[in-house]
Amino acid sequence: MDRRFRPFARLAAAGGLALLLAAGAFAAPAQHPIDARTRAALDREAHALLRQKGVTHVGFYGFTIDPAGHVTSAWVVRSAGNPRLDEAALAMIRKAILKRRPAGAPVRMQFVIPIEFRRHGAPVASSAP
């Protein structure tokens, strides 16, 4: 897994699915369209993640953060195939706060991250660097 995504993978593995769906008003995402080459890369990454033991679904989610690290918008880039899983992932992302932003970072930043959904009790591989 790409090193940029490891903190979010740990967040997802740490019980993100146990969160209740949160209702909140978030601004519509100012996302960039995804070209065919990027979509193909996301599909390859999803298939690779789905080959891991215990992984049942993989979704890719985008979000925008403000200068304080708060999530201002979140959206589904590639669905996990289940609307309830997508809503749980978006609820988890909306509650997140990035504590460290890169030096010289722009005012608003957008990210796309993969989230793996595992069967209950399936082992989680360590994603430590």
Side-chain angles (χ1 to χ4, degrees), residues 8 63 65 68-71 96-101 111:
F8 297 103
F63 61 97
I65 62 167
H70 297 96
V71 175
I97 298 174
L98 271 61
K99 293 183 180 178
R100 289 184 296 169
R101 291 172 43 97
F111 298 90

Side-chain angles (χ1 to χ4, degrees), residues 18-113:
L19 295 173
L20 296 175
L21 297 180
F26 287 91
Q31 66 201 58
H32 298 286
I34 296 177
D35 61 17
R37 189 174 73 181
T38 303
R39 186 152 306 275
L42 292 177
D43 288 342
R44 285 191 302 274
E45 179 74 13
H47 291 297
L49 292 170
L50 285 167
R51 287 194 295 268
Q52 295 178 7
K53 185 174 183 173
V55 176
T56 58
H57 295 82
V58 174
F60 287 82
Y61 306 92
F63 61 97
T64 303
I65 62 167
D66 64 13
H70 297 96
V71 175
T72 58
S73 63
W75 62 92
V76 176
V77 175
R78 183 184 187 279
S79 175
N82 181 321
R84 293 179 69 191
L85 294 177
D86 290 338
E87 284 300 319
L90 290 174
M92 180 181 63
I93 290 168
R94 287 177 180 135
K95 291 181 179 181
I97 298 174
L98 271 61
K99 293 183 180 178
R100 289 184 296 169
R101 291 172 43 97
V107 174
R108 286 200 170 93
M109 296 177 67
Q110 288 186 339
F111 298 90
V112 174
I113 60 168

